[in-house]
Amino acid sequence: MKAGRTKKIVIAVVIAIVAVAAAFVALIDWKCTVTFRPGITADELREFEARNDVFIHGVETVHTGKEQPEPIIGLVTFRGYEDLQNSIEQVTEDESWGEGVEFQGIDAVYVMGTYMDLRKLKNDEAVYKADIVFDFTFGTNYGAYPLPDREF
């Protein structure tokens, strides 16, 4: 009699642990670095955001310049599309990069969302790669995101 009761308690505990784990995966925000196919614009990013209903935390832009042999990567905290456009213009006007700096597109975004929502991003036509992680620190620092997969 006691063995049957113990077995039922163990089964109930296992079910509770599985339920908590499932809720954790489904409800808690995860972080995802989305690397785009080359040349995505701010307008296409706006469409991407609307299609996928994600929270964009940061944006990496790519610029080239006459005096820069390597592409210039700029990371900006996303505060809306007007601010994004201003940030893009600030990089192109920054004299420390030299003359002839031109915006080439958005390389990657850092997004937060539920695990299930982020998994759907991998099927978006604009996405080259989407790496999902859980940040145990619950911070908003960019160091918690996976590094973008560059394709230059």
Side-chain angles (χ1 to χ4, degrees):
M1 189 82 163
K2 210 171 191 182
R5 184 174 177 200
T6 303
K7 186 177 179 181
K8 288 179 183 179
I9 290 172
V10 169
I11 291 172
V13 168
V14 169
I15 290 172
I17 290 171
V18 169
V20 168
F24 177 75
V25 169
L27 301 175
I28 303 298
D29 278 346
W30 290 59
K31 294 185 176 182
C32 180
T33 300
V34 177
T35 309
F36 291 110
R37 302 201 180 278
I40 190 168
T41 64
D43 288 337
E44 291 169 319
L45 179 61
R46 187 187 309 256
E47 293 169 8
F48 168 83
E49 181 186 30
R51 264 193 319 269
N52 295 293
D53 192 31
V54 292
F55 170 74
I56 298 176
H57 181 202
V59 177
E60 283 200 2
T61 58
V62 178
H63 303 263
T64 57
K66 292 177 185 174
E67 300 171 17
Q68 293 292 329
E70 295 293 319
I72 302 163
I73 306 297
L75 173 63
V76 295
T77 300
F78 184 74
R79 293 187 178 98
Y81 289 95
E82 288 179 17
D83 186 56
L84 177 62
Q85 194 60 41
N86 291 337
S87 298
I88 290 169
E89 289 170 9
Q90 285 175 0
V91 173
T92 57
E93 294 169 1
D94 187 347
E95 293 176 6
S96 67
W97 295 114
E99 291 188 29
V101 174
E102 295 180 8
F103 175 64
Q104 298 300 315
I106 295 167
D107 179 50
V109 290
Y110 300 93
V111 298
M112 289 189 277
T114 66
Y115 183 78
M116 299 310 285
D117 288 342
L118 295 179
R119 285 205 34 90
K120 294 175 192 172
L121 296 179
K122 294 183 179 196
N123 296 326
D124 192 289
E125 68 267 4
V127 174
Y128 168 70
K129 188 174 180 184
D131 294 318
I132 304 169
V133 296
F134 177 72
D135 176 22
F136 290 97
T137 64
F138 297 101
T140 56
N141 59 328
Y142 292 112
Y145 286 93
L147 291 174
D149 187 15
R150 304 240 181 266
E151 189 182 273
F152 295 120

